[in-house]
């Protein structure tokens, strides 16, 4: 089974900082601090930029051809928010 995305991101952040995979050797307080950092990043990127919404709209446009351009962008932004919110709750 795949690890929750928060844990995968925390492990990647720890490895980036240390240069090697030492997640299991870290004490629980250090692990929780890194997880808080990951959550802070996810909160910061939860709202997509206009460019991201437009890019996502291209994907959605291919799925539902009856919507307007603004509707596609709104759907893309909502999809992003729901996916990130689900990731933040996945622990």
């Amino acid at each position: 089974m795949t690890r929750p995305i928060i844990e995968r991101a925390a492990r990647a952040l720890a490895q980036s900082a240390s240069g090697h995979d030492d997640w299991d050797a870290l004490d629980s307080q250090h692990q929780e601090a890194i997880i808080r950092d990951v959550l802070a990043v996810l909160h910061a990127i939860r709202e997509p930029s206009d460019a991201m919404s437009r890019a996502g709209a291209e994907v959605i446009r291919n799925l539902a051809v009856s919507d307007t351009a603004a509707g596609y962008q709104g759907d893309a932004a909502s999809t992003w928010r729901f996916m990130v919110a689900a990731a933040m709750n996945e622990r």
Side-chain angles (χ1 to χ4, degrees), residues 6-22:
I6 300 298
E7 182 182 339
R8 286 185 282 146
R11 286 174 172 265
L13 189 58
Q15 184 170 355
S16 174
S18 70
H20 57 282
D21 184 6
D22 61 353

Side-chain angles (χ1 to χ4, degrees), residues 18-81:
S18 70
H20 57 282
D21 184 6
D22 61 353
W23 180 259
D24 293 325
L26 298 174
D27 63 66
S28 63
Q29 287 180 320
H30 196 180
Q31 288 179 346
E32 284 299 315
I34 296 169
I35 288 170
R36 283 191 303 274
D37 290 344
V38 168
L39 290 170
V41 169
L42 288 175
H43 280 285
I45 66 170
R46 186 168 184 236
E47 289 297 321
S49 67
D50 290 341
M52 292 166 66
S53 292
R54 285 191 301 274
E58 288 303 314
V59 175
I60 292 171
R61 182 173 284 119
N62 292 319
L63 300 175
V65 295
S66 63
D67 210 345
T68 65
Y72 295 132
Q73 288 184 15
D75 289 346
S78 293
T79 299
W80 174 261
R81 286 186 205 100

